[in-house]
Amino acid sequence: MPAPLVLKFISTLAFAIQFLIFVYLYQSHRIRFFHYLLWGWGFFTVSKGLKLAEAVLPAGVRLDPLMDAAGIAALFCVLVGAAAYRWDYRMRGRDALVAGSFALAVVMLGERSATGPGLELGLGIILGLAQAAAGLAFWPRPSAGMAYRGAGLLAASFLMWGLYRIATGFVAVESGSTTYYAVHGAFICFYFLSTFAIIIMVLDRARNEMRSLKEFNERLVQGLREGLALVAGDFTVRYSNPRMIEQFGPTEGRRCYERLTVDGKPCPGCPLERRHEMDGQRPVHLEVDGVGGRHLLLSCSPVRQPDGEVLLLELVADVTEQTQMRERLQQAERLAAAGELAAGVAHEIRNPMAAIVNATTLLAAGTGLTDEEYASTLSAVRTEARRLNRILSEFLLFARPRAPERRLSDIAEVVERVASLIREDRARAAGVELDVRMDRSVPVFRFDPDQMIQVLWNIALNGVEAMEGQGRLRLDVEQVNGDVVISVADTGRGIPPGDRARVFDPFYSRKPAGTGLGLTIAQRIVAAHGGRIELNSAPGRGTRVRIALPLALAAP
């Protein structure tokens, strides 16, 4: 095989390998100027491949125009890359159109030998000046804030490469001669120097970014107001930030639980053993009792190392003050609730107690009372005593609610039972039209039927009283998204917007003889079943109460 052909093959292979290296680097270093240089090196490789193809094809096949077009495209990309490096330039469509038109013109002119040596020389000078201009754009300028290593080497390589292009236009080179090898060797030298310089620049930029990111992370970690520790699989602390050391003393090399927990044992629920399966987006939170009565909140996340090892990142926050404040707030809320309950009970029993006192005073006098007046006074005492008993019973039920006795039951039977109670209460519901709608596909499930009867009866009775015995009461039962939903709707006067937020408050009632505990007890019973109760009302349009009970424990 002729030596020139071997040289062309080796140089083409070298070009292709370096282009693939650029492609590999670009995957992790997507820099704008490097993007354009990558395209330039691709066109250089195409040009070299065309020259090799021309050497092995029959003598009549000439690929010079295509090689010139590929060379022009390569230099255009180099120029754009230099502009992107110096001025943060972004290539526009019209710029690519101009370059493409110029390259197309070269192809249209045909072979250089057919158009005379003047075109070939002029084209070489233009391309050489363009490459030298690219070198000047890459030349380091400290005042511009660019100090990438390799920039000077790349600028010098492009500048000499451009001058080389201009000089070779004035030199007659015969294939296989000493001058041919010297010219070709100089070209390969400039190309390799430019390639190495680009790689150095890209890696230096990446190193600077990594250094900046590392400094930022260190400042962030050291400035945290929470303790931070990296824990290995044997509970040994690999790293701790200054806040961690300030709170717990030296921790590196020690087991984390020795410094954190009050008993010196691993935290309950510690996720260290399952750190490989943890989701890095969802940290595990632990509450730990620390030394000295402190309360600690730990947020644990996995951190994967380059060698495959998985560490546990622990953020340790001292929440002692927040916990104490929360406990004081809860205590204050309990005291306030107790005071409100005491005031409510005192208010509710005051009137019946006053009536009983007045009646017993009359009875104690014993004179001036007829038999009818005497009987009426005793009846008033009994009535007020029963009223007191009802108030105290409801208060005890509110203060100490009975846990629900869940058993497999049919909610349809409960609703029918409540409907029967309403129909039988002719004194209060004589003019009420009752509408019961049941979804027979609702299965039996576990709940306390007695408590549900109490809840629905209380709500339905409120609706009957709101309609003043005249109107329409509707009971619906359906299954919605895994819940059994019972709705009680009336056509009464509705609830004013200002009162809606208070209907479930203890001792709040708009009825003269009401205790204000019925809906509060109903809400507690529903909550004890894991359900929820909602109320919608508008003045003049009635009220709708919706109870949703979970169907999680349905019978098979």
Side-chain angles (χ1 to χ4, degrees):
M1 183 182 293
L5 183 60
V6 173
L7 184 61
K8 289 178 181 179
F9 174 78
I10 294 175
S11 60
T12 302
L13 181 62
F15 272 49
I17 292 174
Q18 291 179 12
F19 173 69
L20 293 177
I21 292 173
F22 275 18
V23 172
Y24 175 77
L25 285 176
Y26 185 71
Q27 301 303 314
S28 55
H29 305 286
R30 295 180 177 269
I31 311 167
R32 186 180 301 169
F33 81 86
F34 187 36
H35 172 76
Y36 297 131
L37 292 179
L38 174 64
W39 277 97
W41 254 239
F43 284 118
F44 278 135
T45 305
V46 170
S47 176
K48 221 33 173 161
L50 289 172
K51 184 168 290 190
L52 177 63
E54 186 183 56
V56 298
L57 289 174
V61 179
R62 304 293 295 174
L63 301 177
D64 287 347
L66 293 178
M67 286 187 285
D68 288 339
I72 291 170
L75 278 179
F76 172 73
C77 292
V78 169
L79 275 174
V80 174
Y85 175 79
R86 177 60 62 193
W87 300 288
D88 198 27
Y89 170 80
R90 186 187 298 272
M91 185 175 65
R92 297 174 176 83
R94 65 174 182 269
D95 302 329
L97 183 61
V98 170
S101 301
F102 185 70
L104 182 61
V106 173
V107 174
M108 296 294 292
L109 286 175
E111 297 183 353
R112 289 174 290 183
S113 59
T115 58
L119 176 62
E120 183 178 358
L121 179 60
L123 183 61
I125 293 175
I126 292 174
L127 297 181
L129 291 175
Q131 194 151 2
L136 293 176
F138 275 107
W139 198 265
R141 297 180 185 177
S143 60
M146 299 181 184
Y148 296 144
R149 294 180 181 177
L153 177 59
L154 181 60
S157 299
F158 277 159
L159 185 59
M160 290 187 294
W161 194 351
L163 297 177
Y164 157 84
R165 280 181 176 274
I166 297 173
T168 53
F170 298 95
V171 178
V173 180
E174 182 180 351
S175 179
S177 64
T178 304
T179 306
Y180 172 84
Y181 290 116
V183 169
H184 200 79
F187 170 77
I188 295 296
C189 178
F190 293 138
Y191 181 84
F192 272 81
L193 285 176
S194 301
T195 301
F196 294 149
I198 292 171
I199 294 175
I200 293 171
M201 288 179 64
V202 171
L203 295 181
D204 185 61
R205 186 181 186 276
R207 183 166 53 250
N208 290 338
E209 289 182 348
M210 289 295 295
R211 186 185 301 113
S212 299
L213 182 61
K214 181 181 179 182
E215 291 178 359
F216 172 77
N217 288 337
E218 288 178 352
R219 292 180 181 179
L220 181 64
V221 169
Q222 292 178 1
L224 284 175
R225 300 184 63 183
E226 299 176 344
L228 181 146
L230 278 176
V231 182
D234 58 354
F235 294 95
T236 302
V237 176
R238 294 275 186 88
Y239 170 81
S240 55
N241 70 340
R243 179 61 175 167
M244 188 78 176
I245 298 173
E246 178 185 344
Q247 287 183 303
F248 305 100
T251 55
E252 295 186 17
R254 303 285 297 272
R255 288 183 170 82
C256 56
Y257 54 79
E258 295 176 354
R259 291 292 190 181
L260 296 179
T261 60
V262 66
D263 57 0
K265 297 179 180 179
C267 306
C270 177
L272 186 65
E273 296 298 329
R274 49 188 174 88
R275 64 191 184 281
H276 296 84
E277 292 80 26
M278 290 175 61
D279 183 359
Q281 303 298 323
R282 298 180 180 179
V284 175
H285 300 286
L286 303 175
E287 292 188 5
V288 178
D289 292 329
V291 180
R294 289 190 293 183
H295 296 280
L296 306 177
L297 177 63
L298 275 63
S299 298
C300 306
S301 303
V303 176
R304 287 170 173 79
Q305 301 298 302
D307 59 357
E309 183 183 13
V310 180
L311 305 179
L312 194 67
L313 175 66
E314 295 182 355
L315 286 177
V316 184
D318 189 341
V319 295
T320 305
E321 293 184 3
Q322 294 91 320
T323 303
Q324 293 174 350
M325 185 178 299
R326 184 169 60 249
E327 291 175 352
R328 288 195 296 267
L329 180 60
Q330 291 174 351
Q331 184 179 7
E333 290 176 348
R334 287 194 295 267
L335 291 175
E340 183 179 354
L341 290 178
V345 171
H347 175 74
E348 292 296 330
I349 68 176
R350 180 181 300 162
N351 291 336
M353 284 297 297
I356 291 174
V357 169
N358 291 336
T360 54
T361 300
L362 290 175
L363 293 175
T367 57
L369 294 177
T370 64
D371 292 342
E372 183 178 353
E373 290 174 340
Y374 191 84
S376 176
T377 304
L378 283 178
S379 176
V381 170
R382 285 193 294 269
T383 299
E384 296 301 326
R386 283 195 293 270
R387 182 180 172 189
L388 274 176
N389 182 65
R390 179 170 59 85
I391 292 171
L392 293 176
S393 297
E394 290 189 357
F395 174 74
L396 289 175
L397 186 60
F398 166 74
R400 292 182 296 181
R402 177 177 63 85
E405 298 178 2
R406 294 184 178 88
R407 58 180 181 272
L408 287 175
S409 306
D410 189 352
I411 193 65
E413 295 179 359
V414 171
V415 174
E416 291 293 348
R417 173 59 179 158
V418 173
S420 299
L421 292 175
I422 295 172
R423 294 188 186 100
E424 294 168 2
D425 193 350
R426 307 306 302 172
R428 288 179 287 190
V432 174
E433 177 188 351
L434 191 60
D435 182 11
V436 180
R437 301 187 182 186
M438 300 288 302
D439 181 358
R440 296 301 175 181
S441 65
V442 175
V444 296
F445 65 103
R446 295 186 183 277
F447 66 95
D448 189 325
D450 295 332
Q451 287 190 347
M452 282 300 113
I453 289 175
Q454 178 185 355
V455 169
L456 293 177
W457 168 247
N458 202 317
I459 295 173
L461 189 58
N462 283 344
V464 170
E465 292 176 348
M467 295 186 293
E468 298 179 353
Q470 300 290 329
R472 185 169 177 239
L473 187 69
R474 177 172 169 175
L475 303 177
D476 290 312
V477 178
E478 58 184 339
Q479 182 177 343
V480 180
N481 297 329
D483 290 337
V484 175
V485 178
I486 310 109
S487 300
V488 182
D490 63 64
T491 58
R493 57 183 178 274
I495 302 173
D499 295 341
R500 247 176 266 154
R502 302 182 57 194
V503 293
F504 294 107
D505 290 349
F507 302 109
Y508 174 77
S509 176
R510 296 187 301 139
K511 296 181 291 185
T515 63
L517 291 174
L519 286 179
T520 306
I521 294 172
Q523 186 184 45
R524 285 199 172 187
I525 291 175
V526 171
H529 281 76
R532 60 188 185 279
I533 182 169
E534 302 169 352
L535 183 143
N536 295 306
S537 182
R541 300 178 61 181
T543 300
R544 182 173 181 266
V545 180
R546 186 174 182 271
I547 300 169
L549 300 176
L551 196 60
L553 298 177

